[in-house]
Amino acid sequence: KAGVTQTPRYLIKTRGQQVTLSCSPISGHRSVSWYQQTPGQGLQFLFEYFSETQRNKGNFPGRFSGRQFSNSRSEMNVSTLELGDSALYLCASSGGRQPTDTQYFGPGTRLTVL
Amino acid sequence: GEDVEQSLFLSVREGDSSVINCTYTDSSSTYLYWYKQEPGAGLQLLTYIFSNMDMKQDQRLTVLLNKKDKHLSLRIADTQTGDSAIYFCAECPSGSARQLTFGSGTQLTVLP
């Protein structure tokens, strides 16, 4: 069974640009969550999608948005990039939304904003 | 508010036991998790414990939960060099099934 895949793995952008990151969950998984990981702030929850609907949202500005498609693949978009958006963006998929439903993480997309 | 704290570094000798500690603040947390992150990789769930349990053992891993003190620990028996990684504890507040709050991570270094 293939794991969670994230594309691209590495990305370099400049301030003011926008970026779209993609996450393909494990086959059959309907829940996809996104996290931002930085040395200063650690791992922070961005949002969660289940059955194409955003279920939870973390404390991030509106520049951060996402969506989920009918095949459960998810994208997140960051508009008007700032230097502080440089981070590792991780997505995780799970079969359900219960706390005991294991979240499987992808390897992440490393975004560098210059 | 929610906050999860861990010590940043731990160094042990191969074959010894490692104990990684974590404190959390949200008393409504129903599940607490331990994740492992190796360089260049995502997070791997190691184990979790339900808040009404005191202890959970899974092969070389033992999780202890002191709910009164909001203290969680992960013990790794017979630590191997392959256990070198960053270990994160995370809490799942009640009603937020997928919204985990992570600690800062503990870098475990296993010396030969």
Side-chain angles (χ1 to χ4, degrees):
Chain A
K1 202 174 190 181
V4 178
T5 57
Q6 293 187 244
T7 56
R9 290 293 310 277
Y10 302 91
L11 207 46
I12 300 175
K13 293 285 188 179
T14 56
R15 278 181 299 175
Q17 287 188 307
Q18 75 164 23
V19 68
T20 299
L21 311 182
S22 179
C23 173
S24 292
I26 291 172
S27 178
H29 284 189
R30 295 164 63 193
S31 171
V32 174
S33 299
W34 288 88
Y35 290 85
Q36 181 196 64
Q37 186 176 25
T38 60
Q41 299 297 316
L43 277 153
Q44 293 185 288
F45 174 80
L46 279 157
F47 26 65
E48 181 222 349
Y49 286 87
F50 183 82
S51 295
E52 302 178 65
T53 302
Q54 188 179 88
R55 303 293 175 143
N56 277 308
K57 189 178 194 307
N59 190 23
F60 278 82
R63 300 185 297 108
F64 291 81
S65 63
R67 59 179 175 168
Q68 187 180 32
F69 302 95
S70 58
N71 62 357
S72 294
R73 189 177 70 85
S74 178
E75 289 181 346
M76 67 162 281
N77 185 77
V78 188
S79 62
T80 321
L81 283 165
E82 300 177 0
L83 295 178
D85 297 333
S86 293
L88 180 67
Y89 290 88
L90 294 164
C91 86
S93 77
S94 62
R97 302 192 69 240
Q98 297 303 311
T100 50
D101 289 317
T102 301
Q103 292 198 65
Y104 295 88
F105 281 79
T109 293
R110 173 76 63 186
L111 171 65
T112 303
V113 182
L114 302 176
Chain B
E2 301 159 359
D3 199 10
V4 181
E5 294 189 354
Q6 300 178 238
S7 53
L8 292 180
F9 302 100
L10 177 65
S11 185
V12 300
R13 292 278 176 195
E14 190 174 16
D16 288 348
S17 291
S18 308
V19 179
I20 302 171
N21 295 300
C22 170
T23 57
Y24 61 98
T25 57
D26 192 335
S27 58
S28 73
S29 290
T30 53
Y31 285 87
L32 296 135
Y33 306 83
W34 284 103
Y35 282 85
K36 176 183 180 183
Q37 186 177 35
E38 296 180 90
L43 278 73
Q44 174 195 354
L45 177 66
L46 292 176
T47 187
Y48 63 84
I49 188 167
F50 186 50
S51 59
N52 69 352
M53 298 169 67
D54 298 323
M55 185 183 85
K56 181 179 181 182
Q57 188 152 0
D58 186 359
Q59 299 183 325
R60 290 191 299 124
L61 306 178
T62 303
V63 178
L64 295 177
L65 175 62
N66 181 329
K67 197 172 178 183
K68 174 176 167 290
D69 295 336
K70 299 191 182 70
H71 183 265
L72 182 73
S73 68
L74 174 69
R75 179 177 178 268
I76 306 173
D78 188 26
T79 314
Q80 303 297 308
T81 54
D83 294 324
S84 291
I86 301 176
Y87 290 80
F88 293 91
C89 67
E91 62 177 351
C92 177
S94 177
S96 304
R98 303 285 82 189
Q99 185 168 348
L100 300 182
T101 300
F102 285 88
S104 55
T106 298
Q107 172 76 61
L108 174 64
T109 302
V110 182
L111 304 171

